[in-house]
Amino acid sequence: MVVTDTRPAAEARPEPVLALSDISKHFQTTRRDTLALDHVSLEVQRSEFVCIVGPSGCGKSTLLGIAAGMDTAYEGRALFEGTPITGMARERAVVFQEPALFPWLNVRANVEFGLKLRGVPKHERKAIVDRQLELVHLEHFDRSYTHELSGGMKQRAQLARALAVEPHVLLMDEPFAALDAQTRDELQLELQSVFARIGTTVIFVTHNVREAVILGDRVVVMSPGPGRIKSIIDVPLSRPRLPDDYAVTDLAARVRAELQNVDETVEARYAI
Amino acid sequence: MRSKALRLGAFYLVVLGGWQLIATSGLWSSYLFPAPTSVVASLVRNVENGMIFAALGQSLWRLALGYAISMLLGLSLGVLNGSVRWADETIGGICLGLQSLPSITWLPMAVLWFGLSDAAIIFVVLMGSTFSIAISARSGIRGLPPLLARAAGTLGASRFQLYRYVIIPAMVPAMVQGMKQGWSFAWRSLMAGELLFVTIGLGHLLDVGRNLNDINMVFAVMLVIVVVGVVIDRVLFGTAEAWVRERWGYVAT
Ligand SMILES: Nc1ncnc2c1ncn2[C@@H]1O[C@H](COP(=O)(O)OP(=O)(O)OP(=O)(O)O)[C@@H](O)[C@H]1O
Ligand SMILES: [Mg+2]
């Protein structure tokens, strides 16, 4: 049998940082067999900020877990910079929904953690950590232990810890879900300026449509039962974007309409 | 702070005063119920003739050796049970069973194995604390939130680094708790062992006091035992617990 390559020439498109193709994931328990992801494909380009929205249980965390390499039992192909993902690696750092800081380390040591694992010399570590802490406005809390921080500060510390290892892709799973509206607004603004400066590739899962439109270059709308990508909406707005910008509200309404379409078959609720 | 010191001072003065009054009232004869003054006199005498320090030194040396070995054994057993499922199902079950055994019950066996020697007593001491330490080390590892292990993985931790930088530090609060419990078992079984044994040691000194019909000496030695217990419990483990609370924000239970 002769295999002919019919794809367009390689130079037509840059290689995506992350290429998930035809990913299907079953969860088998004694009671049920859930199809959490059904032939999901998603490509993320370098320096792109992709937001994923969708009702609870549509497989957002599952998809992120596969991209991170935390979950390797699935069908389909997950490529990171052209090579298959076989496990966790610091090139794909994760900011978890729950505060996942190490409680026995202070903020500085937490942010330093990944650098220490890599054997970065002490003076270099200090410089990098100082820079990251400043970025997330925690420079005055570097000696605090995590139980002395507020929820928003914990999430910012987690972000600094992930950024310190200079990941190629940053995977964030509802990082602001547990925060009040005001802290959330502040962090959204901070995130925008942080990523405007460093240009890391980001996949950002959220339940909040407005947040997705404020942060994302593209918004991926997923639908549940089984988990699929329903549509992908481009966000061609200039930054910084504010929550009350007319264009933001307008696009958010469009995303919400997509989601409501999803809702016609499945009951789900959304934060605004 | 000042008022607390005053309160405590007043309390102990009243207790000692009451004790002295009852002792001198002639309600009980002085060879059954000694006055605090004669207890202190006996304490001073036995300190001066070197008996107390010789016994204290011997007891603490046995305790330290037995406890050190039990730390090593307990930690190894605990890490094994915490990391390997089949080990936990087999060895872990035995640890749980043996932990419920009062440790002084090891003494007859120890005497048959080691004879009437220090080794026998040290064996009893280490049996007293090994299983507490093993069980808390195991639950320290099992209690590690999977989220923290994943966080370390996504920051690039290897299997070895996961143990070195995450699992072992995460065990500390449970370990401090287990080591405290282990020490108290070890200390109690040491005293019991020394009482039943004829070698130098605080427990043995109690028995000497009984043989001499010297109630003052018995009280004096008991006082020393209380002081040693309180110092190790409050100062050593109290400091460790305060440190854990400061760092981890809680103390494991
Ligand atoms: N460990 C598991 N065992 C069995 N089923 C699972 C497991 N993890 C997830 N699932 C199922 O897979 C589906 C997708 O789960 P996932 O956590 O990815 O959803 P999600 O989109 O992140 O939801 P949420 O917005 O509530 O976080 C759900 O139906 C869930 O029941
Ligand atoms: Mg989720």
Side-chain angles (χ1 to χ4, degrees):
Chain A
M1 183 179 137
V2 181
V3 179
T4 330
D5 196 345
T6 53
R7 285 173 300 176
E11 71 268 20
R13 274 195 311 158
E15 184 193 60
V17 181
L18 203 64
L20 308 173
S21 40
D22 259 343
I23 303 272
S24 296
K25 168 79 190 179
H26 288 265
F27 282 109
Q28 252 138 357
T29 59
T30 46
R31 263 157 292 129
R32 68 170 89 233
D33 179 2
T34 315
L35 186 54
L37 294 173
D38 182 22
H39 297 282
V40 169
S41 298
L42 179 65
E43 287 193 353
V44 180
Q45 304 298 329
R46 194 164 299 285
S47 292
E48 204 182 7
F49 199 122
V50 174
C51 290
I52 303 181
V53 296
S56 194
C58 69
K60 304 182 295 293
S61 297
T62 307
L63 194 64
L64 217 61
I66 288 171
M70 296 189 278
D71 184 352
T72 51
Y74 55 87
E75 291 149 45
R77 239 167 30 130
L79 298 183
F80 169 68
E81 295 179 342
T83 43
I85 294 169
T86 52
M88 295 183 273
R90 67 170 180 84
E91 285 79 15
R92 297 182 306 278
V94 178
V95 176
F96 297 89
Q97 175 173 353
E98 310 87 347
L101 297 170
F102 302 113
W104 56 88
L105 300 176
N106 63 25
V107 169
R108 170 170 294 277
N110 261 289
V111 177
E112 212 176 20
F113 189 86
L115 302 170
K116 209 165 148 189
L117 297 182
R118 258 166 71 198
V120 176
K122 203 164 189 162
H123 58 279
E124 275 178 50
R125 285 205 309 252
K126 186 175 167 0
I128 298 173
V129 172
D130 283 341
R131 185 149 28 89
Q132 296 305 336
L133 288 176
E134 215 170 298
L135 207 61
V136 297
H137 303 302
L138 280 177
E139 60 271 34
H140 300 304
F141 292 91
D142 64 331
R143 303 268 159 224
S144 302
Y145 287 95
T146 60
H147 62 98
E148 300 163 346
L149 303 179
S150 73
M153 287 156 85
K154 283 180 197 162
Q155 291 309 75
R156 279 184 286 166
Q158 235 199 112
L159 179 60
R161 179 177 70 179
L163 288 174
V165 297
E166 294 178 347
H168 301 193
V169 179
L170 188 61
L171 305 164
M172 303 174 83
D173 194 354
E174 301 188 44
F176 305 150
L179 305 182
D180 65 274
Q182 198 186 337
T183 315
R184 202 169 174 143
D185 285 353
E186 281 168 24
L187 282 180
Q188 285 168 6
L189 264 178
E190 268 176 45
L191 259 195
Q192 288 185 66
S193 66
V194 166
F195 288 104
R197 257 175 290 167
I198 60 178
T200 307
T201 313
V202 183
I203 301 184
F204 189 100
V205 170
T206 177
H207 271 277
N208 189 315
V209 171
R210 194 184 289 262
E211 184 170 84
V213 171
I214 290 173
L215 294 173
D217 295 315
R218 285 190 292 159
V219 177
V220 176
V221 178
M222 290 184 68
S223 58
R228 289 190 179 130
I229 291 182
K230 180 161 183 294
S231 55
I232 298 181
I233 297 166
D234 286 314
V235 187
L237 306 178
S238 62
R239 290 192 171 89
R241 304 170 187 160
L242 295 170
D244 298 320
D245 285 352
Y246 172 73
V248 167
T249 317
D250 199 38
L251 251 180
R254 242 188 77 199
V255 175
R256 214 166 285 126
E258 280 293 321
L259 279 169
Q260 253 137 31
N261 249 332
V262 170
D263 260 0
E264 279 165 16
T265 44
V266 185
E267 273 204 20
R269 251 175 274 129
Y270 300 98
I272 295 180
Chain B
M1 207 58 222
R2 278 272 302 281
S3 74
K4 188 188 174 193
L6 276 176
R7 244 189 349 257
L8 283 180
F11 171 74
Y12 283 112
L13 266 179
V14 168
V15 168
L16 281 174
W19 180 4
Q20 182 77 27
L21 269 178
I22 295 170
T24 48
S25 70
L27 201 61
W28 294 292
S29 41
S30 63
Y31 60 83
L32 289 181
F33 195 84
T37 45
S38 26
V39 170
V40 170
S42 168
L43 182 64
V44 170
R45 195 167 53 251
N46 283 299
V47 166
E48 277 174 349
N49 67 20
M51 297 261 279
I52 294 275
F53 281 122
L56 183 64
Q58 193 72 11
S59 291
L60 288 184
W61 175 76
R62 287 185 187 123
L63 183 73
L65 190 63
Y67 192 66
I69 298 173
S70 76
M71 273 289 295
L72 229 91
L73 275 175
L75 206 57
S76 319
L77 274 174
V79 170
L80 180 71
N81 293 344
S83 318
V84 185
R85 178 182 298 274
W86 64 260
D88 192 39
E89 285 162 0
T90 52
I91 304 168
I94 293 179
C95 285
L96 274 174
L98 292 184
Q99 201 238 358
S100 66
L101 191 64
S103 45
I104 194 62
T105 56
W106 290 99
L107 188 69
M109 190 188 109
V111 171
L112 289 177
W113 280 12
F114 301 105
L116 291 173
S117 65
D118 272 341
I121 288 217
I122 289 168
F123 179 77
V124 171
V125 168
L126 86 90
M127 280 322 215
S129 48
T130 299
F131 301 111
S132 294
I133 293 173
I135 288 167
S136 56
R138 176 216 173 262
S139 55
I141 291 181
R142 284 290 154 106
L144 176 78
L147 187 64
L148 292 186
R150 265 184 271 141
T154 58
L155 291 166
S158 65
R159 182 105 198 122
F160 170 76
Q161 286 175 325
L162 185 68
Y163 268 88
R164 167 80 180 69
Y165 294 111
V166 180
I167 294 176
I168 289 176
M171 280 167 67
V172 168
M175 276 306 292
V176 167
Q177 222 46 39
M179 282 166 64
K180 185 176 168 180
Q181 194 188 40
W183 123 261
S184 77
F185 285 152
W187 179 236
R188 281 158 179 71
S189 46
L190 174 70
M191 289 302 107
E194 285 181 350
L195 252 177
L196 296 169
F197 236 80
V198 195
T199 47
I200 302 165
L202 283 176
H204 174 242
L205 214 54
L206 274 179
D207 202 39
V208 172
R210 183 185 65 87
N211 286 329
L212 296 174
N213 249 328
D214 185 351
I215 189 79
N216 292 318
M217 183 170 164
V218 170
F219 266 64
V221 175
M222 284 172 73
L223 198 66
V224 173
I225 294 174
V226 167
V227 169
V228 171
V230 169
V231 165
I232 295 185
D233 219 66
R234 289 292 148 80
V235 179
L236 220 70
F237 287 101
T239 312
E241 280 175 342
W243 173 72
V244 165
R245 212 171 298 121
E246 146 101 29
R247 280 228 164 176
W248 277 257
Y250 65 95
V251 176
T253 45

